[in-house]
Amino acid sequence: MKSILNKFLLGVTILTLLITIIGSIAGIIIFKNAGNTSIFIKENSKPIYIYDDKNNLVSSDSLYYEYCSIQEVSENLIHAVISIEDKDFYKHPGISIPRIFSSIYQNFKNNSIVSGASTITQQYIKNTYFTNEKTFTRKINEIAYALELEKKYTKDQIMEAYLNTVLFGSNIYGVKMAARYYFDKEPKNLTVNEAAILAGMIQLPNYYNPLKNPESATNRKSLVLRRMYEEGYISHQEYEELSLIPVEDIVKKGFTNTKITYLTPYIDYLFSHMPEQADSILSIKTYLDTNIQKTLYSIMNNDYKLFNDDELNCAIVVLDNKTYGVKAIAGNRSFNQRVLSYASDVLLQPGSTIKPLLDYAPAIEYLNYNPATIIKDEEYTYKNGTKIKNYDNQYLGNITLRKALSDSRNIPAVKLFNAVGYERAFQFAEKLGIEKKDTIYEADAIGGSTTGYSLLSLANAYQAFANLGYYKKASAFKEIEYELSTTVNDEPARLVMKPTTAFLINSMLHDVFKNSTFDQKNTYMMAKTGQTNYDANTIAKYNLPANATKDSLLVAYTKDLTIAVWVGYEKISNGKFLDYYKKNIPRSIMKLLLDTYAQKGQYYSDIDGIIKSYITIYEDQAYLAKTHGYYEYFIEGTQPLTYPNYEIKA
């Protein structure tokens, strides 16, 4: 039976191949009637029109591109590209019959187009004339165009054109800019390892980006090197030695952007986080607020004189809570050089900013805790016996959750994390875009994550509190217009927690800066700070103070805006650390932005399921108060129902 089925599949495959070839011939005839194909000489990149949140055109020159002749390209890169993309490029007539045959068989077996069999010539045709839409019609025309192109141009001319149209991650097009961007050199000077990295990126440029996904890029580089060895371009010894070198040791900092403007950080973020789509982009409508973006640019350039050290780095994210759009973003103070974005690419230890997400909100959601719940701040250890300390090395005894969170006590946070349970705590946080780690530690409860989270993802998670339980992944684009389609960012937000949970978290986080110089006087603001410290080995090595601060983070929000700020050093140099002034810079940035851009008069009305009661805390228990009490919020059904017995009071 299996043999009969295989013969049937083979017969259908051959028939399909014949139809494809006939279709290709037909495509050639059709194309010749329309006009002959030609190589596009991309001396200037095709413009992509970018619009701000008010639909004003802000850019049509957003791509990093410069034309490169084949004579300027290292043989290492040519060999790497051929090895991984099309080993018979200099032999076939533009298409590969064996690859087409194999592709058709695989596509038929899977009942869908899973394999394309594209040669470099076909890839160039697709990049230039067509889209990545996976249809048989497009494939037939692609074959026709490729055969026609090979008649008119040499292999080197086609290779040159191809290398100038390839995307190398984000908005980097062509090998000349890619070589400069990732290695700070001209393409003729690329080493074998550098060439292997670039060639490996062609298939999935953002996924194999050595800056964003170094592990995946290293594995891909090794595959390219193995193919180069198999094709005879490098020796087995070179393959083994070069494969051991991670991409982090190869990529170099130094690319200088000559087109730097206040828009550069936003546009770089936009292109590095585009949804996967194949055909050419014509225009992008964004959530960009140009006024806020200009302010971020000025902050980073130190126009406000906030930074007293040029090496001190910073990242800022501003989100629109109504649309979940990225209104402004700046990931590094080195705008004019190729650097990692500490807003979206670098995973930061979150410090205490994680506490509402992993500890307090899950305790309210699952255990019906409330701001007046009593928890004891006392000597406490992790399960392995390691002692936990609060920032002030003090213990406050029995305190309310409101006090514990607003004062950012570590021990109550870990207790809540344990009470909720690790799995359930992360299940809650995952719904807010906080990714669960492979290994969970108790220290995760207070921001001691081994890998961390991006500043953007933290800000995005806090939006669920601002929006009373609704979450949607933040994005920079409203709408992307392609040549053949349009993608609209219209996915609705999801309810990921009880609105009562978000309401109570907002009430507690409002206390963090309440009545301080950083508070908002004319609108309702919530905030949470977070700091991380150096480990003991680093402190000893660089002779740092025992409490030296490494990172300072802050997430603040009103009903309309969420702002996240990070300040720190990219690397330890000359024993520098964040002193009292430096670690408070995020507070100054927060106040500057909210004073200027937050809407006035925004307050949260009481919601269904929330009760406001006048209470007092007596013998570590909340009671209704007649005098000398304060108002507190409770989930309906959990509020105090009795008054304390003052007669037993000493």
Side-chain angles (χ1 to χ4, degrees):
M1 184 67 182
K2 189 174 181 180
S3 176
I4 295 174
L5 178 61
N6 287 337
K7 288 181 179 179
F8 173 74
L9 290 174
L10 181 60
V12 173
T13 300
I14 293 172
L15 178 62
T16 307
L17 176 61
L18 291 173
I19 293 173
T20 302
I21 294 172
I22 293 170
S24 299
I25 296 171
I28 293 173
I29 295 172
I30 293 170
F31 180 72
K32 281 188 174 181
N33 290 334
N36 291 331
T37 185
S38 62
I39 285 181
F40 289 173
I41 304 301
K42 290 175 67 68
E43 294 295 349
N44 294 295
S45 59
K46 187 177 181 180
I48 295 176
Y49 299 102
I50 299 176
Y51 299 87
D52 67 10
D53 60 344
K54 298 178 181 62
N55 289 330
N56 297 314
L57 179 66
V58 293
S59 174
S60 60
D61 185 24
S62 56
L63 305 180
Y64 297 135
Y65 172 80
E66 186 175 332
Y67 192 81
C68 182
S69 70
I70 193 74
Q71 287 76 26
E72 299 176 78
V73 179
S74 163
E75 280 194 350
N76 292 328
L77 182 60
I78 302 294
H79 295 161
V81 170
I82 290 172
S83 298
I84 195 66
E85 291 295 323
D86 184 4
K87 64 185 180 64
D88 295 320
F89 172 70
Y90 282 97
K91 301 174 185 175
H92 60 61
I95 63 173
S96 172
I97 299 300
R99 290 174 69 179
I100 291 176
F101 186 89
S102 174
S103 174
I104 293 172
Y105 179 76
Q106 292 297 324
N107 293 335
F108 182 83
K109 191 168 69 171
N110 289 277
N111 197 30
S112 65
I113 301 181
V114 297
S115 177
S118 292
T119 62
I120 283 175
T121 309
Q122 288 174 265
Q123 289 182 46
Y124 171 73
I125 290 293
K126 177 188 66 180
N127 292 342
T128 309
Y129 287 92
F130 299 119
T131 74
N132 284 338
E133 181 186 13
K134 292 184 176 182
T135 65
F136 286 109
T137 302
R138 194 222 76 192
K139 204 68 185 175
I140 288 171
N141 282 290
E142 182 185 290
I143 292 171
Y145 276 53
L147 291 170
E148 181 72 11
L149 196 73
E150 291 266 355
K151 291 180 181 178
K152 300 182 63 177
Y153 299 94
T154 67
K155 289 288 187 179
D156 281 349
Q157 286 176 313
I158 294 171
M159 176 62 76
E160 177 177 310
Y162 173 72
L163 292 176
N164 278 283
T165 57
V166 174
L167 173 66
F168 287 98
S170 301
N171 46 346
I172 312 298
Y173 279 85
V175 295
K176 178 172 281 191
M177 197 57 71
R180 291 176 180 172
Y181 190 83
Y182 294 107
F183 310 113
D184 192 27
K185 60 172 58 176
E186 295 303 309
K188 64 182 177 182
N189 298 321
L190 290 172
T191 66
V192 172
N193 246 344
E194 292 164 347
I197 291 173
L198 294 185
M201 292 179 69
I202 293 173
Q203 185 185 68
L204 295 170
N206 284 327
Y207 182 74
Y208 293 124
N209 186 321
L211 300 174
K212 296 173 62 177
N213 298 308
E215 184 177 351
S216 298
T218 298
N219 293 336
R220 180 68 173 172
K221 173 180 73 75
S222 296
L223 176 61
V224 175
L225 291 171
R226 180 159 64 85
R227 295 284 176 83
M228 292 179 74
Y229 159 65
E230 291 170 351
E231 294 303 311
Y233 294 120
I234 60 175
S235 68
H236 189 267
Q237 182 179 350
E238 286 178 296
Y239 160 61
E240 288 189 327
E241 290 177 353
L242 295 176
S243 294
L244 295 175
I245 304 175
V247 296
E248 297 100 311
D249 295 343
I250 303 170
V251 176
K252 294 181 176 63
K253 176 178 176 179
F255 169 78
T256 299
N257 181 6
T258 58
K259 300 190 296 183
I260 180 70
T261 72
Y262 76 97
L263 289 172
T264 302
Y266 194 94
I267 291 176
D268 284 353
Y269 166 75
L270 177 68
F271 278 94
S272 64
H273 292 80
M274 293 286 286
E276 290 296 330
Q277 182 74 25
D279 59 289
S280 299
I281 300 171
L282 300 178
S283 66
I284 307 172
K285 294 180 180 178
T286 74
Y287 296 103
L288 167 70
D289 185 313
T290 54
N291 290 325
I292 301 179
Q293 187 64 35
K294 287 176 182 177
T295 301
L296 264 55
Y297 186 76
S298 294
I299 290 171
M300 298 303 224
N301 280 333
N302 210 20
D303 296 343
Y304 292 93
K305 307 301 180 185
L306 295 174
F307 303 101
N308 57 5
D309 183 348
D310 289 339
E311 292 183 36
L312 193 58
N313 212 340
C314 180
I316 310 172
V317 174
V318 181
L319 304 181
D320 185 326
N321 293 338
K322 183 177 180 180
T323 64
Y324 298 87
V326 179
K327 293 179 76 69
I329 191 167
N332 205 296
R333 290 186 66 204
S334 300
F335 280 160
N336 64 328
Q337 286 190 320
R338 194 276 297 144
V339 285
L340 283 172
S341 169
Y342 281 83
S344 58
D345 297 333
V346 177
L347 301 183
L348 302 166
Q349 282 193 322
S352 293
T353 62
I354 203 66
K355 291 175 181 176
L357 306 172
L358 271 184
D359 311 326
Y360 288 86
I364 294 171
E365 181 85 356
Y366 300 128
L367 305 179
N368 285 327
Y369 284 16
N370 57 64
T373 298
I374 299 296
I375 192 164
K376 192 170 186 178
D377 182 25
E378 59 184 339
E379 286 194 36
Y380 196 73
T381 64
Y382 292 127
K383 292 177 182 178
N384 64 6
T386 303
K387 189 175 181 179
I388 306 171
K389 295 181 180 180
N390 290 313
Y391 70 91
D392 57 2
N393 293 317
Q394 302 293 318
Y395 308 107
L396 301 184
N398 290 321
I399 56 175
T400 63
L401 255 62
R402 179 179 291 276
K403 174 65 174 176
L405 178 56
S406 62
D407 199 35
S408 200
R409 314 301 291 177
N410 283 340
I411 291 161
V414 176
K415 284 186 171 183
L416 292 176
F417 188 59
N418 287 331
V420 171
Y422 306 172
E423 290 294 330
R424 198 158 51 159
F426 268 101
Q427 285 172 7
F428 178 90
E430 279 186 295
K431 292 186 290 185
L432 282 65
I434 298 299
E435 184 180 351
K436 180 181 177 183
K437 306 304 176 184
D438 293 335
T439 304
I440 300 173
Y441 302 96
E442 285 178 278
D444 283 312
I446 55 176
S449 172
T450 54
T451 51
Y453 313 95
S454 72
L455 189 68
L456 176 61
S457 67
L458 289 170
N460 197 184
Y462 272 78
Q463 281 189 296
F465 298 138
N467 289 320
L468 293 178
Y470 284 89
Y471 170 84
K472 176 182 176 179
K473 186 174 183 180
S475 174
F477 80 91
K478 290 182 185 177
E479 180 182 296
I480 306 174
E481 182 185 2
Y482 301 92
E483 288 185 347
L484 298 179
S485 63
T486 300
T487 296
V488 179
N489 181 20
D490 57 0
E491 180 184 352
R494 308 185 318 275
L495 185 65
V496 295
M497 73 179 83
K498 299 172 187 174
T500 51
T501 297
F503 185 93
L504 294 180
I505 289 291
N506 290 344
S507 176
M508 291 191 286
L509 291 181
H510 175 62
D511 286 1
V512 172
F513 288 122
K514 187 177 181 180
N515 299 324
S516 76
T517 57
F518 298 104
D519 194 11
Q520 289 292 295
K521 307 304 180 185
N522 300 311
T523 197
Y524 196 80
M525 182 192 81
M526 288 80 28
K528 186 70 193 80
T529 60
Q531 295 174 11
T532 69
N533 301 105
Y534 291 103
D535 60 61
N537 291 334
T538 303
I539 288 173
K541 181 178 179 180
Y542 292 95
N543 194 29
L544 302 175
N547 61 345
T549 300
K550 179 182 177 225
D551 304 285
S552 181
L553 300 93
L554 183 149
V555 182
Y557 58 101
T558 59
K559 285 184 74 173
D560 66 322
L561 294 179
T562 296
I563 293 171
V565 185
W566 166 83
V567 167
Y569 287 100
E570 186 172 345
K571 59 183 179 179
I572 303 175
S573 61
N574 302 321
K576 291 185 177 180
F577 61 95
L578 301 186
D579 57 23
Y580 180 80
Y581 172 79
K582 292 173 184 176
K583 66 185 180 184
N584 283 317
I585 290 174
R587 303 182 184 203
S588 300
I589 293 173
M590 170 201 72
K591 182 166 177 57
L592 188 159
L593 292 172
L594 290 180
D595 281 352
T596 309
Y597 297 109
Q599 294 180 20
K600 307 306 178 186
Q602 298 181 93
Y603 301 93
Y604 286 92
S605 302
D606 292 351
I607 64 172
D608 291 342
I610 291 291
I611 296 294
K612 189 177 183 181
S613 297
Y614 191 62
I615 70 162
T616 186
I617 302 297
Y618 175 65
E619 292 186 346
D620 302 328
Q621 177 67 45
Y623 292 93
L624 294 178
K626 294 178 182 178
T627 59
H628 306 296
Y630 68 96
Y631 282 103
E632 186 57 275
Y633 290 105
F634 297 87
I635 297 173
E636 190 171 7
T638 68
Q639 71 271 28
L641 299 176
T642 61
Y643 294 95
N645 183 356
Y646 287 104
E647 282 71 27
I648 66 172
K649 198 171 183 181

